[in-house]
Amino acid sequence: MSYALKAAGAAAALIGGFALLFTFERPPMDTVQLGYRGLGIEQVVNPRLEQVTLAKNAIPAVVPQVGAVGPKAGAIYKNVQVLGDLTVTQFARTMAALTSWVAPEQGCNYCHNPNNMASDEIYTKVVARRMLQMTARINAEWKSHVQETGVTCYTCHRGQPVPAYSWARNDTPPRAAGLSVGTAGQNLASGSVGLTSLPYDPFTPYLSGDAQIRVQTPAPRVTPVKPGIKDAEWTYGLMMHMSTSLGVVCTYCHNSRAWYSWEESPPQRTNAWHGIRMVRDVNNNFITPLQPQWAANPYGPPTGPVQPRVGLHGDPLKVNCGTCHQGAYKPLLGVSMLRDYPELNAVTKIDAPEPIRQ
């Protein structure tokens, strides 16, 4: 080998070493103990990222509250189907908040025909109505996960028409032919599973379907042999997503001495159990039934930005843990915007099946 080739190889190795070095977070790191001493149930924190996290989870200015005066909105305006029990002043305040949370640049025309505000011709109005019902459902039926903090439209949208974090069914292999065509939905470093090569669509079976998220048991052998290695890979793909979405490590929900044991796990694991079922309820009863609207408008309404609304198979973009959490252990670091907007709990006609609790 020539001197030039050796020098080039050494330079490439040096550059690669520096690149690899910058993929790690530099010390010092802080740890916060979450469980009983000696169990390693702790959270690793990078204090240098604290200001970034705070900025990403800043709460927008509150629209000034108004008194419940005047007639009901349903008696004054046409085609008010879900907020009709609010007074006209409360209704106007809620509309102003929704606009700033979801379409601050597009304004009211993102959902409304300005010449006929009662019309449902712009599909985003139909979607927004259903999302209001979904928000009320979460706040009323899923306190087991959201507690009294609740959610608002801003929890997911953060000033964008389409939430920054969503997913659609993805079973397309990265290769089209050859011996490597059958990738089983993995072996691709995907951001959906923390840049690992685990199965990159754990959402379809677990957050749309109701596949059991089970890997480890206290028994040394299970007959029939289930769950198997593939189940473990899919489960770990989901766990990587949850860890990344919440900005936490595994011991936020688990005692690593006995992953299977609920009795030895922190209470956050129970909260996450309810959260998984809440997400299934949202996807199956509120998001997926709107597929015809999104399929007819796959890139949004003419008045809005060009943003995909559907995935490779035409199914709508759905929610996962990252949609609300966006890198924080609690959405918006646990601040409740619902307290400033109680009108969102006045939504009527939440016509969806009872949430499945299994």
Side-chain angles (χ1 to χ4, degrees):
M1 182 181 295
S2 68
Y3 175 79
L5 288 177
K6 291 182 179 179
L14 184 61
I15 293 173
F18 275 111
L20 181 63
L21 181 64
F22 282 103
T23 64
F24 296 93
E25 295 186 60
R26 63 180 177 86
M29 304 292 283
D30 289 340
T31 58
V32 179
Q33 187 164 313
L34 302 176
Y36 194 75
R37 63 183 181 273
L39 297 181
I41 301 179
E42 58 189 21
Q43 172 65 16
V44 181
V45 180
N46 186 338
R48 292 175 298 281
L49 297 180
E50 182 177 0
Q51 293 304 315
V52 176
T53 302
L54 291 173
K56 288 176 60 177
N57 291 276
I59 305 298
V62 177
V63 178
Q65 296 196 23
V66 295
V69 297
K72 296 292 182 66
I76 299 299
Y77 305 120
K78 296 179 180 179
N79 196 22
V80 179
Q81 298 184 25
V82 295
L83 295 173
D85 290 336
L86 298 180
T87 66
V88 290
T89 53
Q90 292 174 321
F91 183 81
R93 176 182 186 254
T94 303
M95 289 295 102
L98 293 180
T99 302
S100 66
W101 294 341
V102 177
E105 296 182 8
Q106 297 78 24
C108 303
N109 295 351
Y110 185 69
C111 289
H112 293 278
N113 176 351
N115 299 316
N116 182 6
M117 300 290 279
S119 171
D120 285 348
E121 64 188 271
I122 302 179
Y123 90 101
T124 42
K125 182 182 177 185
V126 177
V127 172
R129 181 183 291 139
R130 194 61 176 153
M131 295 300 97
L132 283 168
Q133 293 177 318
M134 178 192 73
T135 299
R137 161 79 153 239
I138 292 172
N139 292 330
E141 300 291 337
W142 289 105
K143 290 183 182 293
S144 54
H145 185 69
V146 301
Q147 307 298 323
E148 296 301 322
T149 303
V151 298
T152 67
C153 311
Y154 187 79
T155 307
C156 295
H157 283 270
R158 312 283 176 101
Q160 301 182 60
V162 177
Y165 299 92
S166 58
W167 68 275
R169 184 164 64 91
N170 183 5
D171 58 2
T172 302
R175 305 171 186 87
L179 295 175
S180 61
V181 64
T183 62
Q186 64 182 85
N187 299 330
L188 176 68
S190 173
S192 62
V193 288
L195 296 178
T196 66
S197 61
L198 292 165
Y200 47 81
D201 179 18
F203 312 123
T204 297
Y206 296 132
L207 300 185
S208 182
D210 60 354
Q212 292 296 308
I213 307 171
R214 297 288 185 271
V215 174
Q216 189 183 44
T217 69
R221 180 179 176 85
V222 179
T223 304
V225 182
K226 269 288 188 178
I229 293 176
K230 300 303 293 184
D231 299 277
E233 291 173 339
W234 284 94
T235 296
Y236 272 87
L238 179 67
M239 294 297 106
M240 289 300 296
H241 159 72
M242 298 177 75
S243 177
T244 303
S245 298
L246 275 66
V248 298
V249 295
C250 305
T251 51
Y252 186 73
C253 289
H254 293 277
N255 179 350
S256 59
R257 190 202 71 79
W259 297 94
Y260 63 85
S261 175
W262 286 84
E263 292 78 7
E264 299 180 52
S265 298
Q268 288 87 347
R269 184 177 180 183
T270 301
N271 189 274
W273 186 94
H274 290 289
I276 290 169
R277 282 138 187 88
M278 180 191 77
V279 169
R280 290 174 182 170
D281 179 34
V282 166
N283 285 331
N284 293 327
N285 293 318
F286 293 92
I287 304 291
T288 299
L290 289 169
Q291 193 274 341
Q293 281 77 17
W294 275 302
N297 301 271
Y299 297 104
T303 56
V306 177
Q307 292 179 291
R309 263 64 171 182
V310 298
L312 297 172
H313 298 282
D315 59 317
L317 300 183
K318 295 172 279 293
V319 305
N320 54 27
C321 307
T323 311
C324 286
H325 284 267
Q326 303 197 21
Y329 70 105
K330 290 183 179 180
L332 300 172
L333 299 177
V335 176
S336 175
M337 291 180 62
L338 187 63
R339 297 171 185 173
D340 293 318
Y341 298 95
E343 296 90 345
L344 293 178
N345 284 337
V347 176
T348 56
K349 298 182 182 178
I350 312 174
D351 51 342
E354 283 299 309
I356 300 173
R357 305 179 188 278
Q358 61 179 2

